[in-house]
Structures are given as structure tokens and as C-alpha cells.
Amino acid sequence: YKGRSYSLGRRVPPLLTDLYQFTMAYAYWRAGRHNEPAVFELFFRDNPFGGGFSLFAGLSDCLLFLLNFRFTSEDVEYLRSVLPVDTDPDFFTYLKGLDCSAVSISAVAEGTVVFARVPLMEVSGPLAVVQLLETSLLCLVNYSSLVCTNAARFRLAAGPERRLLEMGLRRAQGPDGGLTASRYTHIGGFDLTSNALAGHLFGIPVAGTMAHSYVTSFSSLEEVWPQILAPCGGGDPIDFMCLVKGWLGHVCQLLGAKPQGVREGELAAFLSYAIAYPRNFLPVIDSYSVGCSGLLCFCAVALALCELKYQPLGVRLDSGDLCRQSVEVRHAFRECSKRFSVPAFESFIIVGTNSVCRSLYLCQDNEIDVVGVGTHLVTCTSQPSLGCVYKLVEVCGRPRMKLSEDPEKSTLPGRKAIYRLLDTEGQALFLILPTAAL
């Protein structure tokens, strides 16, 4: 928790906000209104992705932000340089003493299913201070809730049995966007992440093996070194390459494949990786051709590992018709298990990445055990923003309301109490009452 607090304090300092928050805070201070008790509500106007719900996320980061809310001398000097020259110098002294000790937050629990126009957070405290919090709190909640909701939609599409792997760091909106995505997709239902830093900071299980570049870096079996591997239970190392070559012939015969179609570089890559990680062998098998090379190489290496009492993990598919390929790969595994009496082949997992998520939405038949999703998950392709807003509803105990020429942007005045009721069919209903009515 302390590590996360320190990390967030560096990433989201009080200066990470819009300049007009400071101009308003100064005007409140200049008018002597800065300590008036005020209440803001944070909510969104429409459910995202054309769906019927959202998940609320980012609350813990908001609390850490409030805990660390202090302006440094450097912050204040910068503000002095950008605010109008006639700003009263005493205002900067006021900023140096600010913290959030007088601020209170009421919120639904993180990860809760929420709906449009229902307050997610109520922020109360001195008017100038809670005004200064607006942009930062929206920044912490908007994307977190959106990507968490997106993850929940993938979880619903994938079903409860498949494991989901978040692998969007390289496509995320910057380093902090990548960390936020890894953390909140985990809350939204993903089991694993490829993001090592997220695993370190947040305790999320991490996963990953090899990329296509590792496979294509090999061109010949002469590049494999060492070529020996000791059995799992101990004993003298054996010529692992020779063992694999023998199994490759049997696999080609079983699956009706031509040995000359096997890419020597792909076989070399699998051999080298298996020798390095005999207990974690899970290669990507579509660098060239799944049926003509990748699958054959995997089965040969996996059979050799099993002969030495190791337990390979499975394969990853990353291009083409992943669902169809997964069915063919599973069939090959079962044939190997039956023909060679190697039960381990029945438990191998098939990881599908790339466009597999679309097939899952269509409920296409497949044998994929783990779904890896990157771009469409972390960028929230179909909707880039949740659109949370932060609106003033009360000052000095008196309700405040925004009226607008656009009725959609009008607000309900006053503090509110929210009740979630269920109808006879178990559907959620809401009753929002002014607290004065209770």
C-alpha cells in the first residue's frame, strides 16, 4: 500500500489538473468563500458501449490521491509564474497549507455495477478545495471505470471457464494508461496480465512466453546450443535434438504431414526454448504455418519433454482463423495422446490472441482455453471515453442546480440518498431521494 501511495503521488500530483481550477479557487479565496461547505457529485450520463451497465473503478486511487494532496514549493512557484501578475501573494501561501483533511468522500464500492446518472461519488469539503479536486478525480475514475467495464464485457463473452490474459501495454495510451489498464481489467474479470510492472505493483498474476521474433531469429539447427537436456528426475543429460528428430518423424506419420514442410528454423527455436524452459514450454506456433510446421514441431518437442518426465504447457495461436485452428490443434493433441500413450497431451492449453475476441462474441466453436486481448481491450475501441462529470449540488447546505439549454446537461440539485431495488424478475431499479426527504 505504501508503495502504491508513493507511486500514485508521483504520477498524480495536485498540479495535474486544469488551470481554471486555480483561477476559480483564487476567486473563491478572494471573495472569502473558499471555506464554505460544498458538495459535488461525480457521475456519467450514458451507459458505455451501448450496453446496460458500467463497473465503478478508481476509488482506491482517488483515496490515495487525497491522502497525498499537498502542493510543493516548486508547484506553488510554477503557479505564481502562470497565474495573472496581480494575483494576491497571500493566495500562494494559502495553497502551500492546503491538504484534504477536511474532505469527505461517500462512494459505492469499487467494482460495483453502476448505471447512468446515478452518483458514483459524493465529495464534500471546503469549496475551494473540492473545486481543485475536480479534474484529477475525473481523470482517475473515467478511464479506470471504462476499461474495467470493457473487461467485464469480455468476461461475459468468454464465459466463466476460459482464462483471460490482458496484453495491451504496447498499445496503451502511454505508460500510466498501460498500468491503469492492467490493474482495472483485472478487477473487471481478467485473470492474467503480460505487464510485469503491474504484477509487481498490484500482485496480478503475470504470464508470457515467446514472440514471433524469437522463432524467426533461428534459421538452422546448428544454432541450437546446448543440444542436451537432463531428465526431470535427474540423471545424465541426453542428446535432446536427436530425441526430438526421432519424435518428429512419428508425428508427421501420424498426422499425415510431409517432413520437408517443417521449417528448420522453427524447430531450432522450439528446441532452444524447451532446453531453456523445459517446465514452461508454450511456444507460438503460427510464425510460418500451423499445420505444415508449427504444430508438428511443437508435438515433437513436447513428446521428447514428456519422455524426460517434463510437463509442457501448450501453444499460442496468433493469426488466421484461430477458432478453426484451435479445433485442429486439439484434435492433433488427442491423436498424439492416444497413439503414443502420453496423457499429458490431453491437458495442454491453447492460448488464442489477436482477433479471437470477435469469434467469442459470435459463440463460434473453438478449443481455446486462454484468451489474450490487447488493443481492443485497453483502447476501448468502440468508445474512447466514459464521460464522467463532476457537478456542484450544494453550497452551505443550500441546493445548487445547473440549468442548460441542453436538457441532457441539467443536474438534479441537493445531496441524495440512493437505493437499489429489485423487481420481481430480479432487475435492478433505482430510487434517488434528496437527503432532506429522509
Side-chain angles (χ1 to χ4, degrees), residues 20-318:
Y20 79 166
Q21 306 293 1
F22 293 103
T23 61
M24 287 188 287
Y26 175 71
Y28 287 139
W29 177 85
R30 192 73 175 81
R33 300 188 59 205
H34 54 289
N35 284 325
E36 290 182 2
V39 180
F40 283 80
E41 289 177 349
L42 189 152
F43 61 93
F44 60 91
R45 294 189 175 102
D46 297 294
N47 294 317
F49 308 111
F53 73 95
S54 180
L55 294 184
F56 172 54
L59 176 61
S60 56
D61 281 343
C62 290
L63 297 178
L64 288 173
F65 168 68
L66 298 181
L67 183 66
N68 290 279
F69 187 92
R70 297 285 295 192
F71 290 100
T72 66
S73 296
E74 184 180 353
D75 294 338
V76 173
E77 288 309 307
Y78 172 73
L79 290 171
R80 192 191 303 273
S81 73
V82 296
L83 287 175
V85 294
D86 55 350
T87 303
D88 190 325
D90 288 344
F91 175 67
F92 300 106
T93 302
Y94 162 73
L95 287 180
K96 285 183 179 180
L98 277 188
D99 61 23
C100 286
S101 58
V103 174
S104 297
I105 285 188
S106 298
V108 298
E110 188 146 50
T112 299
V113 173
V114 292
F115 302 94
R117 296 190 171 274
V118 178
L120 311 179
M121 293 173 54
E122 178 191 87
V123 184
S124 58
L127 179 57
V129 178
V130 291
Q131 181 70 69
L132 285 170
L133 301 178
E134 176 182 6
T135 304
S136 301
L137 294 180
L138 287 172
C139 180
L140 291 169
V141 170
N142 257 310
Y143 178 64
S144 298
S145 297
L146 184 71
V147 77
C148 188
T149 304
N150 203 23
R153 290 166 60 83
F154 277 98
R155 168 50 70 194
L156 290 173
E161 300 301 325
R162 287 190 182 93
R163 285 186 290 167
L164 295 177
L165 165 65
E166 177 273 317
M167 46 189 297
L169 179 58
R170 65 186 62 191
R171 303 293 171 80
Q173 293 92 336
D176 189 67
L179 275 176
T180 302
S182 297
R183 182 181 182 193
Y184 288 106
T185 55
H186 184 59
I187 292 177
F190 273 61
D191 305 281
L192 308 159
T193 181
S194 65
N195 188 336
L197 182 57
H200 174 61
L201 291 176
F202 310 126
I204 304 171
V206 295
T209 54
M210 68 166 69
H212 295 291
S213 58
Y214 183 83
V215 178
T216 58
S217 73
F218 289 83
S219 60
S220 168
L221 290 174
E222 295 178 358
E223 296 169 318
V224 179
W225 188 91
Q227 298 180 359
I228 58 175
L229 180 64
C232 182
D236 295 332
I238 67 159
D239 187 333
F240 190 63
M241 180 181 292
C242 182
L243 183 61
V244 169
K245 286 181 177 179
W247 277 115
L248 182 61
H250 294 308
V251 170
C252 288
Q253 183 178 17
L254 171 65
L255 300 181
K258 298 179 180 180
Q260 58 267 32
V262 174
R263 298 293 294 255
E264 184 175 331
E266 189 166 35
L267 181 61
F270 289 8
L271 272 163
S272 181
Y273 199 86
I275 291 169
Y277 290 106
R279 294 178 177 84
N280 296 278
F281 184 56
L282 195 157
V284 58
I285 63 172
D286 61 357
S287 297
Y288 302 107
S289 169
V290 174
C292 295
S293 182
L295 177 59
L296 305 175
C297 292
F298 170 79
C299 289
V301 174
L303 285 163
L305 287 172
C306 289
E307 184 174 337
L308 298 182
K309 306 304 180 184
Y310 291 102
Q311 176 64 53
L313 300 180
V315 300
R316 178 165 76 94
L317 298 168
D318 187 57

Side-chain angles (χ1 to χ4, degrees), residues 108 118-120 416-420 430-433:
V108 298
V118 178
L120 311 179
K416 302 167 187 71
I418 304 163
Y419 296 88
R420 180 173 297 181
F430 278 99
L431 179 63
I432 304 177
L433 297 174

